Amino acid sequence: MTAERTVAPPGNQPPEHEFPPVSVLPPRGTSDGLRRAAVQRPAARHAPKLPLLAVDATAALTAAPALPHPLLTAPLLLAVLFLNARAALYRPAAVPALLSEVPALCARITVSWCALAALVAALSPAHALSVRTLLTGCALQAAASCTGRGMAHWRRRRTLVRHPAAALVVGPAATAQRVAAAFLRHPVCGLRPVGVLADDPAGGEGLPVLGTDEEVHRAVIQNGVRAVLVVGPVGQRGALLRALADSGCALWEVDADAPAYDGATSTAYDEAGRAVRGRVPRERIAGFSCRRLEAGRHRGGPAKRAIDVLVSGTLLLLVSPVLLACALVLRVSDGPGVVFRQERVGRDGRPFTLLKFRTHRPSDAHEAATRWSVAGERDMSRFCRFLRRSSLDELPQLWNVFRGDMSLVGPRPERPYFVAAFSETYPGYAARHRVRTGITGLAQIHGLRGDTSIEDRARFDNAYIDDWSLWQDTCILLRTAAALVRGTGS
């Protein structure tokens, strides 16, 4: 169940002097000056969803006369709005285009009418909708919806051209200047780069290169910056990007090289230490493949937390006799100090105290903090080896889950020393801390525990966060339980 069961190979365990135990994620207090200064500029502009909702509602009312009874209008309207919302048809695109929405719109209108017809046929067969009524209703609603959306998109495109949003481009100077020039050549995209934020000032001619936070503050205030285009590794700019996002700027990941979306985790925003919500689709802006980096917490947080509290509380009550028995046997066989407490790094890089049954006694505090824990130590008692093999030593972590330090499912927590080391060595490792750490996780059920690749663990953990769902958590817990029954760990 843990990631610390055998000695890590030399390639996975960095020298002690290279990586001091420091926090990986930038603190929220960083760049407060930018947050205060940004209040003076115009708020970030968001495309209104209300016009599109009004258009779809009007289209449904337009097709209502084809229905045999006026009361059927309400379920039709609700069905269309719900399906469109689920398909993200009210998510504002960077450059709105009607033709790209037509297939999704027509499909959901057709599904709504067919579902309504099935409901009417089931409840009142005498008033079943005819094929002609279905075709007429679908055609009227689709035509009205497409016409209204076309007009709404046309108005928004005109607004984008007349009043483009000022933007900063973050990344290597040469690449950022090339991307900025492309955006300036295509004003229809609605973004007007006003500066480049880069560590290497020698980036050729073009927009001014901003090298310090003070220059960024000044550009944000003077130009009313509303968007940030991230075109490559941000280096030490993660805290600054976090402050820009918190102040209302829209962050876009711009792929200046690869032409297609591969579903990978956004490295740029991960370095800023914030969550990317699920599979945000790519869009084409000025010919580049771009993705909106959503600010905010991991989706599903309240539901996941409620399940954690319910399940961990129930399990604590059920396994309390087992906990007591293990504690008594350990006290008799190995002496006092049956509960092992160790500092681990949790969500957003915050430390917490992890609880386990003590199965090994390190020689000193330095060894406990910097040595990759081992299983099968020769000096372990037979009962301690049994606790490790059966993962019963992890049961006290249910209290960590109940308190909110951890979750049932999530990336395994690690000590600050190794978090700092692995974050410097393996891409995406720091991004695992976007959510609460867990007792088990996607990496663990795929055998990534003990003497396995840290890079692979980080990739599986980030994939779990990006594709999170309650069903995925359920599957991971079921596979963990099956592994425990087989005695292979989890």
Side-chain angles (χ1 to χ4, degrees):
M1 188 175 293
T2 64
E4 56 273 9
R5 289 310 174 86
T6 56
V7 179
N12 276 353
Q13 186 169 350
E16 295 182 13
H17 65 275
E18 292 186 8
F19 303 107
V22 295
S23 177
V24 221
L25 302 180
R28 290 191 176 274
T30 309
S31 299
D32 279 339
L34 173 62
R35 195 175 289 113
R36 289 193 297 267
V39 176
Q40 304 175 20
R41 66 173 176 80
R45 179 178 57 187
H46 300 282
K49 300 179 181 180
L50 185 59
L52 298 181
L53 286 168
V55 164
D56 289 343
T58 303
L61 295 176
T62 302
L67 295 171
H69 197 285
L71 292 178
L72 296 177
T73 305
L76 174 65
L77 175 61
L78 293 176
V80 170
L81 295 182
F82 173 76
L83 292 177
N84 286 351
R86 293 285 295 175
L89 290 175
Y90 301 120
R91 177 191 295 272
V95 182
L98 173 63
L99 293 180
S100 62
E101 297 177 350
V102 167
L105 278 174
C106 293
R108 279 150 185 81
I109 289 173
T110 302
V111 169
S112 300
W113 276 86
C114 290
L116 182 64
L119 180 64
V120 172
L123 297 179
S124 180
H127 299 87
L129 303 184
S130 64
V131 175
R132 180 177 179 180
T133 300
L134 283 175
L135 294 177
T136 302
C138 289
L140 286 175
Q141 187 169 349
S145 184
C146 290
T147 301
R149 280 178 168 261
M151 294 178 62
H153 292 337
W154 175 75
R155 287 175 59 87
R156 183 164 173 246
R157 285 197 300 270
R158 288 190 60 186
T159 302
L160 291 176
V161 173
R162 292 180 178 180
H163 306 287
L168 293 178
V169 187
V170 180
T175 305
Q177 292 285 10
R178 175 168 59 89
V179 171
F183 272 78
L184 290 172
R185 289 193 300 267
H186 296 83
V188 71
C189 67
L191 295 175
R192 176 175 55 86
V194 296
V196 169
L197 177 58
D199 294 324
D200 49 333
E205 298 182 355
L207 296 176
V209 177
L210 312 175
T212 65
D213 289 359
E214 289 73 17
E215 292 175 344
V216 175
H217 300 170
R218 192 178 306 112
V220 167
I221 296 172
Q222 293 178 352
N223 297 279
V225 172
R226 297 169 177 166
V228 178
L229 308 175
V230 182
V231 299
V234 299
Q236 301 299 319
R237 302 291 185 180
L240 187 61
L241 285 183
R242 179 199 293 274
L244 287 167
D246 287 345
S247 65
C249 288
L251 267 64
W252 289 89
E253 181 190 51
V254 181
D255 196 337
D257 300 313
Y261 171 54
D262 58 1
T265 301
S266 169
T267 302
Y269 208 47
D270 290 344
E271 293 180 13
R274 296 293 296 275
V276 179
R277 287 184 181 172
R279 295 178 177 177
V280 181
R282 291 275 184 175
E283 298 185 42
R284 289 288 178 179
I285 310 177
F288 294 105
S289 178
C290 304
R291 180 171 61 163
R292 177 72 177 267
L293 304 180
E294 299 283 0
R297 285 292 175 192
H298 175 53
R299 61 195 176 95
K304 183 177 175 67
R305 178 62 189 144
I307 293 176
D308 284 342
V309 172
L310 178 63
V311 175
S312 63
T314 303
L315 288 178
L316 281 172
L317 293 176
L318 293 177
V319 303
S320 55
V322 178
L323 290 170
L324 181 59
C326 291
L328 289 175
V329 175
L330 274 177
R331 180 64 177 84
V332 172
S333 62
D334 288 68
V338 298
V339 176
F340 177 64
R341 295 173 174 84
Q342 189 175 66
E343 184 181 32
R344 298 293 177 99
V345 177
R347 185 176 64 176
D348 289 340
R350 292 193 295 266
F352 70 95
T353 301
L354 179 134
L355 305 177
K356 297 174 63 175
F357 281 127
R358 185 183 297 277
T359 55
H360 173 66
R361 296 180 184 271
S363 59
D364 53 35
H366 182 265
E367 178 186 349
T370 61
R371 184 181 181 186
W372 193 259
S373 298
V374 293
E377 288 276 4
R378 294 181 179 179
D379 58 350
M380 280 186 186
S381 67
R382 182 177 300 178
F383 183 68
C384 289
R385 288 196 293 269
F386 164 74
L387 290 180
R388 286 253 175 142
R389 287 196 303 268
S390 62
S391 295
L392 290 176
D393 61 325
E394 310 286 353
L395 284 180
Q397 292 173 37
L398 290 171
W399 179 249
N400 288 116
V401 175
F402 190 76
R403 287 183 52 186
D405 299 326
M406 297 173 61
S407 177
L408 291 171
V409 182
R412 282 295 298 166
E414 194 44 77
R415 286 159 284 176
Y417 174 85
F418 290 106
V419 170
F422 296 154
S423 297
E424 292 287 339
T425 308
Y426 302 102
Y429 188 86
R432 302 163 65 253
H433 299 88
R434 293 176 281 164
V435 298
R436 285 187 178 90
T437 53
I439 295 180
T440 185
L442 186 65
Q444 281 65 45
I445 65 172
H446 282 87
L448 295 171
R449 56 189 181 272
D451 187 4
T452 54
S453 168
I454 302 300
E455 182 178 358
D456 288 347
R457 295 186 205 180
R459 184 170 64 253
F460 272 87
D461 288 336
N462 284 310
Y464 162 76
I465 298 172
D466 287 342
D467 300 336
W468 179 87
S469 67
L470 287 176
W471 177 244
Q472 182 181 213
D473 277 6
T474 303
C475 293
I476 291 174
L477 290 173
L478 290 175
R479 292 182 62 177
T480 299
L484 291 175
V485 171
R486 292 195 303 268
T488 57
S490 63

